Amino acid sequence: MSGAVPPGEAMSVLAEYSRSRDLFTNLTLRELRSRYKRSFLGWTWSLINPLTYMVIYTVVFGYVLKVRVLHGHPSGLSAFALFLLAGLLPWNFFTSAVNGSVGSLVAASNLIKKSYFPRALLPAATVASALVSHLIEMGLLLVAVLAFGNYRALYLLPFVVLLIALVTIFATGLGLALSAANVYFRDVEHFLGIAFMVWFYLTPIVYPVTYLHGSTLTLIKLNPMADAALCMQRVLYDGAAPSWLELGALALAALVAAAVGLAVFRRVEPRLAEEL
């Protein structure tokens, strides 16, 4: 058949895929090992950090500013800390993944100059290592939600998995584009900290979306991470299926980010070694 792939070429493609997969696994493990290297508490920090944020935001917004969230329906939950964590953990994962990805190419400049391999594996491995930490945190949050009586979260677990997958795709797409841009403009890495600080308060994490109206609400709804936070809060706090509109908007943003990020990265990839 004229359209058939020659056996030799097929074997070459499979061999390249296998090598890339093994390298991706090794890069991810390297990121995981270096994350808390020579730290006395080690992986405990992946739990301490979100808990610290939770305590600070709960005190400031829950007690000082007296932000109140409605009872979860139909879960009946009334705990600001659980509402906060449902939106905060996906956000922390997203920012950790993107921030790590942005500097991944510059940090591995010696490796890029010495040998050829798919450069996209570097930011992707950073996202994967952040994902491992996120899964641990979400597992503990799920246990806490169940302990407070939201047993419906078990039946809605597929939505949690889907949301994590969509945020991962979204973060990977941004990470690919921004890591490539950071090679040419090192200001990207520094600017991102400011951008995330503003972005955080444009995401309904420390306040319920019911506080917003009119043009402000419209602006917030254009934010993909707002959709991620709202959907996760809906599942883990309210104990109900997320809005299909918000879920669809997040999926669209994730796919667009992945397509654009991959296109940008492929365009600059051949010149990365020279620029570094």
Side-chain angles (χ1 to χ4, degrees):
M1 295 178 63
S2 59
V5 178
E9 184 178 341
M11 291 299 293
S12 176
V13 171
L14 288 174
E16 178 67 24
Y17 172 78
S18 178
R19 286 193 295 270
S20 297
R21 183 185 60 186
D22 293 341
L23 178 58
F24 174 72
T25 302
N26 290 330
L27 289 171
T28 303
L29 291 174
R30 186 189 69 172
E31 288 288 333
L32 289 171
R33 294 189 189 105
S34 64
R35 184 175 289 263
Y36 301 110
K37 187 178 181 180
R38 296 184 180 179
S39 168
F40 178 74
L41 294 178
W43 279 85
T44 308
W45 283 111
S46 66
L47 306 179
I48 293 176
N49 287 329
L51 288 177
T52 302
Y53 281 118
M54 182 200 72
V55 171
I56 294 172
Y57 289 137
T58 299
V59 171
V60 172
F61 291 92
Y63 291 97
V64 177
L65 298 180
K66 298 188 182 302
V67 173
R68 291 289 178 261
V69 295
L70 299 176
H71 286 202
H73 179 75
S75 68
L77 290 183
S78 180
F80 184 82
L82 293 181
F83 171 85
L84 178 64
L85 283 175
L88 184 63
L89 292 187
W91 172 261
N92 283 351
F93 161 56
F94 171 69
T95 55
S96 175
V98 176
N99 276 324
S101 298
V102 169
S104 61
L105 298 178
V106 175
S109 58
N110 290 333
L111 180 60
I112 292 175
K113 293 174 184 177
K114 289 179 180 178
S115 60
Y116 173 77
F117 59 93
R119 307 331 193 189
L121 294 180
L122 290 168
T126 304
V127 174
S129 66
L131 177 60
V132 173
S133 298
H134 181 55
L135 291 176
I136 295 173
E137 294 166 359
M138 290 300 291
L140 292 175
L141 175 57
L142 181 61
V143 171
V145 166
L146 293 173
F148 273 80
N150 182 14
Y151 302 111
R152 294 176 58 86
L154 283 177
Y155 304 102
L156 297 168
L157 195 57
F159 284 113
V160 175
V161 175
L162 176 59
L163 288 167
I164 292 174
L166 292 177
V167 174
T168 301
I169 295 170
F170 185 50
T172 303
L174 285 183
L176 286 171
L178 293 175
S179 63
N182 191 57
V183 172
Y184 294 88
F185 309 101
R186 302 297 168 88
D187 293 326
V188 171
E189 193 169 1
H190 303 291
F191 173 76
L192 200 58
I194 300 174
F196 276 146
M197 183 169 58
V198 176
W199 196 344
F200 174 77
Y201 288 103
L202 291 176
T203 307
I205 295 173
V206 295
Y207 56 86
V209 74
T210 52
Y211 275 43
L212 307 176
H213 304 282
S215 58
T216 305
L217 180 59
T218 302
L219 176 63
I220 294 296
K221 296 298 287 183
L222 295 175
N223 171 9
M225 286 308 297
D227 293 317
L230 289 172
C231 287
M232 197 66 82
Q233 289 163 350
R234 180 72 174 153
V235 172
L236 294 179
Y237 186 77
D238 291 337
S243 162
W244 289 106
L245 181 61
E246 292 164 355
L247 196 59
L250 176 60
L252 179 61
L255 293 176
V256 170
V260 172
L262 194 57
V264 170
F265 197 91
R266 283 180 173 175
R267 185 177 180 83
V268 304
E269 186 177 12
R271 302 189 301 274
L272 285 178
E274 298 175 11
E275 294 295 333
L276 289 168

